[in-house]
Amino acid sequence: DAGVTQSPTHLIKTRGQHVTLRCSPISGHKSVSWYQQVLGQGPQFIFQYYEKEERGRGNFPDRFSARQFPNYSSELNVNALLLGDSALYLCASSLAFGAGNTIYFGEGSWLTVV
Amino acid sequence: AQTVTQSQPEMSVQEAETVTLSCTYDTSESDYYLFWYKQPPSRQMILVIRQEAYKQQNATENRFSVNFQKAAKSFSLKISDSQLGDAAMYFCAYREMNYGGSQGNLIFGKGTKLSVKP
């Protein structure tokens, strides 16, 4: 079975532009989360979705938004890109809602803002 | 707010030897989960081991084991018989139990880079 898949794997954007990152969870998983990992740091929580509803939001500006589709895939959108948005964006999925469910990560999308 | 601290930015171990990675955390909760994740150069976070705070027994997964000291809020990872493939960034993470509200996101430390010498 396929794991968590993310696209694109690498991309370069210019300051002020918009970016959309995509994630397909493991088949059967209904919960998707997004994390930002800046170089040299641990991942930081951005959003969590379950059954197409937002269930958690980290300390990120309103330029960051996300949504989950009926097939449980998800998009992360970032508007008005800043240099500081350069990071690895990790998507994670779990079978259901609840902290007891194991979280599985994708390989991430590398975003470089120039 | 909960925090996770990994005080060893880098560690090195000889192949076949044992190494211990340290992690401390701060929380006022009594029920929570703790994890160790491995991140190789491929960048995919891989779950190594998890511990439920209500369990006194330390978790073990093959060559990986933890020393969970709840009162001291310490959660170290021991890797026995180290292999070249163990070389990676290791992240300690905390997650609070869900009691009907938010699932509880993962809170990560800054990581420890482990090198394995042949």
Side-chain angles (χ1 to χ4, degrees):
Chain A
D1 284 344
V4 178
T5 57
Q6 294 186 240
S7 64
T9 54
H10 294 82
L11 69 166
I12 300 173
K13 291 285 188 177
T14 304
R15 275 178 298 175
Q17 284 189 316
H18 163 271
V19 68
T20 298
L21 307 178
R22 296 177 174 82
C23 172
S24 292
I26 293 172
S27 178
H29 284 198
K30 298 182 178 180
S31 178
V32 170
S33 299
W34 288 94
Y35 288 79
Q36 180 197 63
Q37 186 177 15
V38 174
L39 201 62
Q41 302 290 322
Q44 275 199 298
F45 172 71
I46 310 174
F47 285 110
Q48 187 221 338
Y49 278 78
Y50 177 69
E51 289 284 12
K52 301 176 287 290
E53 289 187 7
E54 182 183 304
R55 292 300 192 107
R57 174 185 286 252
N59 188 24
F60 280 81
D62 292 343
R63 299 185 296 108
F64 288 76
S65 63
R67 55 180 175 168
Q68 186 177 32
F69 299 99
N71 66 354
Y72 302 107
S73 66
S74 178
E75 280 182 358
L76 175 69
N77 294 283
V78 187
N79 292 324
L81 285 167
L82 303 174
L83 295 179
D85 295 332
S86 296
L88 178 69
Y89 289 85
L90 294 165
C91 177
S93 76
S94 59
L95 190 61
F97 190 72
N101 291 278
T102 300
I103 292 179
Y104 298 88
F105 284 86
E107 292 190 4
S109 293
W110 266 115
L111 171 65
T112 301
V113 182
V114 297
Chain B
Q2 295 88 354
T3 58
V4 177
T5 302
Q6 293 180 250
S7 59
Q8 305 155 318
E10 295 188 27
M11 291 284 284
S12 180
V13 63
Q14 206 71 32
E15 195 176 6
E17 296 294 308
T18 296
V19 65
T20 299
L21 309 184
S22 301
C23 172
T24 58
Y25 59 95
D26 187 26
T27 183
S28 58
E29 302 293 327
S30 58
D31 291 331
Y32 46 87
Y33 294 94
L34 295 166
F35 305 85
W36 279 98
Y37 277 88
K38 170 185 177 181
Q39 189 177 43
S42 70
R43 306 302 289 181
Q44 184 172 17
M45 300 287 278
I46 301 166
L47 178 64
V48 174
I49 199 165
R50 90 176 206 176
Q51 174 81 43
E52 289 87 350
Y54 63 86
K55 290 185 178 179
Q56 293 186 344
Q57 187 173 5
N58 289 324
T60 300
E61 288 287 344
N62 300 315
R63 298 182 295 107
F64 299 87
S65 61
V66 298
N67 183 5
F68 173 48
Q69 301 289 329
K70 190 173 184 179
K73 297 180 182 176
S74 170
F75 183 60
S76 61
L77 174 70
K78 186 172 82 171
I79 306 174
S80 304
D81 186 25
S82 295
Q83 301 175 1
L84 295 177
D86 294 334
M89 285 292 292
Y90 285 82
F91 291 95
C92 178
Y94 165 99
R95 185 161 151 208
E96 64 184 33
M97 287 267 188
N98 169 45
Y99 288 118
S102 169
Q103 172 178 299
N105 53 285
L106 286 165
I107 299 170
F108 287 88
K110 290 187 176 182
T112 296
K113 183 178 181 180
L114 178 66
S115 302
V116 181
K117 298 179 180 177

